Amino acid sequence: NEATGDTSALLEEIRRLSGYSALRMVIATRTVPEELTLPRAAMVPLEEQDVLSALTAHGLLLPENADIRQLLQTPLMLSLYIQTARNTGGQVQCQSMHELIDGYLNALCQKAAMDRGCAVDYRVEAAIRLVLPAIAREIHRRGRPLNDQELFHTVRRCERILRGKVLSRAFPEWIGHSPEILGDGKQRTEAWHGEMVQRILWQQLGMLVKGEDGCYHILHQILQAHLIDLSMDNRR
């Protein structure tokens, strides 16, 4: 399901394995390759009663919007909805999947600020609103997860943006807060990279996932698609 890049060798292996009568496979994918002629089944969405039970367990009401109720029948969306409510301490207001994901990202920023006892955690804001979208776009451009060196170059470009004049046009709300985002000016790029990637996006927020090969990818493809859109907005 998360396979990227040239998958021809993978598909060939699946075709060969499917020829063994004693072997059974379950392959999860959002888009079914036409060249795979295997029996297909679709996951059944959650029942509305399942959604209601999950929301009630967290003290939440079933949304009035029918489209959102249907959206929450997808386990990922239901999970994001509940996590957003827990991080903000209230009912979630959204009218679409994109608004829900935006609300989830905003809630991560709010929780980070509350945990530190401040109005805004500018480092987490920069990690979520600038660095993570840039990483998502680079993953999409390369068609595969990023290794440490590729990740470092992507984060370094973000640091240069934050140190340049474009910051005042792209993120005016961060004007005057560069020291909080970048440190006291003595912090080296390597240390800032470690702060953004290792501590915040990977360990604290779990938005980056590190594979067995040491490469990083975004937590979920749906989140990655949304972050790519945010990256394009940032570039404009």
Side-chain angles (χ1 to χ4, degrees):
N1 198 53
E2 303 297 336
T4 57
D6 183 6
T7 59
S8 58
L10 173 63
L11 295 177
E12 177 59 27
E13 184 176 9
I14 290 173
R15 280 192 290 268
R16 291 176 59 189
L17 289 173
S18 66
Y20 291 95
S21 59
L23 179 65
R24 294 293 180 268
M25 297 181 293
V26 176
I27 304 164
T29 179
R30 294 182 187 87
T31 56
V32 181
E34 294 182 0
E35 55 267 44
L36 285 184
T37 56
L38 301 175
R40 299 177 183 179
M43 289 185 65
V44 178
L46 297 172
E47 297 288 343
E48 188 165 292
Q49 184 58 46
D50 298 325
V51 176
L52 177 60
S53 297
L55 294 177
T56 301
H58 290 85
L60 299 171
L61 302 174
L62 191 67
E64 295 183 1
N65 187 310
D67 291 337
I68 297 301
R69 290 202 303 271
Q70 184 177 7
L71 181 67
L72 297 187
Q73 291 180 301
T74 302
L76 173 66
M77 294 297 116
L78 178 59
S79 175
L80 293 185
Y81 189 93
I82 291 173
Q83 291 181 60
T84 301
R86 291 175 61 186
N87 287 341
T88 58
Q91 195 74 21
V92 180
Q93 302 296 327
C94 62
Q95 303 298 320
S96 67
M97 180 182 71
H98 290 292
E99 287 187 12
L100 174 55
I101 296 176
D102 267 336
Y104 172 69
L105 297 177
N106 291 338
L108 290 179
C109 294
Q110 291 177 34
K111 183 177 185 301
M114 288 188 293
D115 289 345
R116 287 192 58 195
C118 57
V120 180
D121 187 327
Y122 285 98
R123 283 210 166 182
V124 170
E125 287 274 345
I128 289 179
R129 305 194 190 284
L130 176 63
V131 178
L132 187 61
I135 292 172
R137 185 175 183 275
E138 186 65 12
I139 290 173
H140 176 70
R141 188 182 75 83
R142 291 180 180 271
R144 56 171 175 76
L146 302 182
N147 60 36
D148 285 310
Q149 186 176 28
E150 293 162 345
L151 200 58
F152 176 75
H153 289 315
T154 302
V155 175
R156 184 170 60 182
R157 286 197 297 269
C158 293
E159 184 193 25
R160 288 172 177 169
I161 290 172
L162 291 169
R163 295 189 185 278
K165 295 180 180 180
V166 72
L167 174 65
S168 62
R169 299 195 301 272
F171 298 98
E173 67 274 20
W174 295 352
I175 295 174
H177 298 282
S178 295
E180 296 170 65
I181 299 174
L182 296 168
D184 59 6
K186 299 178 182 178
Q187 187 176 37
R188 295 177 61 84
T189 300
E190 292 86 349
W192 196 74
H193 168 271
E195 177 81 359
M196 290 287 109
V197 172
Q198 302 293 326
R199 189 185 74 79
I200 296 177
L201 293 176
W202 180 34
Q203 296 175 357
Q204 179 180 338
L205 302 179
M207 294 298 291
L208 284 180
V209 178
K210 189 174 184 179
E212 293 181 359
D213 58 356
C215 294
Y216 293 83
H217 62 88
I218 304 297
L219 176 63
H220 197 281
Q221 286 182 343
I222 291 177
L223 293 175
Q224 178 174 312
H226 183 82
L227 290 166
I228 290 170
D229 289 340
L230 293 183
S231 176
M232 297 304 295
D233 290 341
N234 288 344
R235 288 174 65 84
R236 282 193 290 271

